[in-house]
Each structure stands twice: as structure tokens, then as C-alpha cells.
Amino acid sequence: MINKIIYDGKEKHVYLVKPNGKRMLLKNDLSSKPIISPNKRLAAFISPFCWECMSNVYVVDLYNGKVSNVYNWEYSKTPKYIKWYSNESLLVIIGETYGTVSIGGDLYSLNIKSKKLEVVKKFPEYIQITSFKLNENIIEVYGIRYIDNIYNEHILYKDSFKY
């Protein structure tokens, strides 16, 4: 039988719920809301999920309950946003871990089986991508664009491209 995954939005914790109802805390850190793979077999989440934290992307197999860290990030880089692209790959926004300017980052593809990380699109330093939507083979990215030299003032940014 399949396990369930639930998210406690108040405490920001992710739990695996066994078919018998027993709940198991997956990470004792603030975590992002888990996302379910297209085939509904896997769930992925970021933990810890807070400002200036070295974070990891975890994938949970909902059939056997196994939790795995899918990539070891560079010291100064951290995942900030994830979405499933296929049953074997995630699209990930990866940005600087530290610094008040780095609220977003660049877009990468991460194969969860091979653990291969590839650049989908890099953005200039003055553009910070914070989220995206998938519409078939089009990716719409959202974020901010700094409009001054000291990265203090910004406007909303939106772009789209084929993937």
C-alpha cells in the first residue's frame, strides 16, 4: 500500500503517513511544502527552507517510505524553489545562500536518479528568479529586476522561453 505525505503549514514540517495512520516526521527543520511527481510515486521538498540556510532537496518514495538527499550543493549555493518536470527530474531555482540581494537564482534541471545537474537558464546578477510555471514546453519565470546600481530598488520581472 502507498504511504501519504502531509505538510503541517503552521510548523512547516513534512510527515510521512503509513497506511496504518502512523505519522513519521521526515526532517526536524522548517521545510517547503512537498510536491508530488506526475506519476504520484514520489514527493520532493526543500529542507531547511529558510533565509540564508544551506538547504537540500529531499525525495520521498511514497511506496517504500525511503527518503534521499538528491544532490550535494556547493557551499555558497542553495535550492530555493522546485517543481517536477518529469518523473525523474526536477526543475530547481538555485541561488546564493548568503546575502540580502540573492532572493532567487538561476534555473537548473536535476535528474534525481543520476544526480546530474544541468543549467536550463542563467540570468544576469540584477535579475533574481523566484518562481516559474510550466506550460507544456514553455517555462514562464517570475522574479525581480533590480533597477539601481546598489540593488536596492526593483521592479517585477517576467519572461518565458522554450525548454
Side-chain angles (χ1 to χ4, degrees), residues 63-80:
Y63 284 82
N64 63 24
K66 182 181 175 191
V67 181
S68 56
N69 176 5
V70 294
Y71 193 80
N72 292 317
W73 312 101
E74 295 176 33
Y75 173 71
S76 64
K77 302 288 186 184
T78 195
K80 299 191 176 200

Side-chain angles (χ1 to χ4, degrees), residues 65-148:
K66 182 181 175 191
V67 181
S68 56
N69 176 5
V70 294
Y71 193 80
N72 292 317
W73 312 101
E74 295 176 33
Y75 173 71
S76 64
K77 302 288 186 184
T78 195
K80 299 191 176 200
Y81 187 82
I82 57 174
K83 272 195 183 187
W84 288 100
Y85 181 71
S86 70
N87 292 316
E88 293 185 2
S89 67
L90 292 162
L91 291 176
V92 185
I93 294 176
I94 301 172
E96 297 293 324
T97 304
Y98 306 105
T100 57
V101 180
S102 299
I103 64 164
D106 297 316
L107 188 59
Y108 292 80
S109 173
L110 174 60
N111 184 296
I112 62 168
K113 289 191 178 193
S114 70
K115 298 190 178 194
K116 184 174 181 181
L117 185 68
E118 295 180 335
V119 174
V120 172
K121 186 163 184 171
K122 285 211 172 250
F123 295 87
E125 186 177 278
Y126 57 88
I127 294 175
Q128 295 285 306
I129 299 306
T130 56
S131 66
F132 58 87
K133 287 183 182 176
L134 301 171
N135 294 321
E136 295 184 21
N137 65 340
I138 301 291
I139 299 176
E140 293 179 8
V141 294
Y142 305 93
I144 62 171
R145 178 186 175 119
Y146 289 104
I147 56 174
D148 63 346

Side-chain angles (χ1 to χ4, degrees), residues 1-4 16-21 40-41 61-66:
M1 290 185 71
I2 191 166
N3 298 297
K4 292 182 184 177
L16 186 71
V17 181
K18 302 280 185 180
N20 65 7
K40 310 239 184 293
R41 181 180 180 104
D61 186 315
L62 296 175
Y63 284 82
N64 63 24
K66 182 181 175 191

Side-chain angles (χ1 to χ4, degrees), residues 12-15 24-31 45-48 58 67-69:
K12 304 209 182 305
H13 285 159
V14 178
Y15 294 90
M24 181 176 78
L25 178 64
L26 296 181
K27 292 290 165 194
N28 195 20
D29 286 316
L30 301 176
S31 299
F45 63 96
I46 300 171
S47 187
Y58 294 94
V67 181
S68 56
N69 176 5

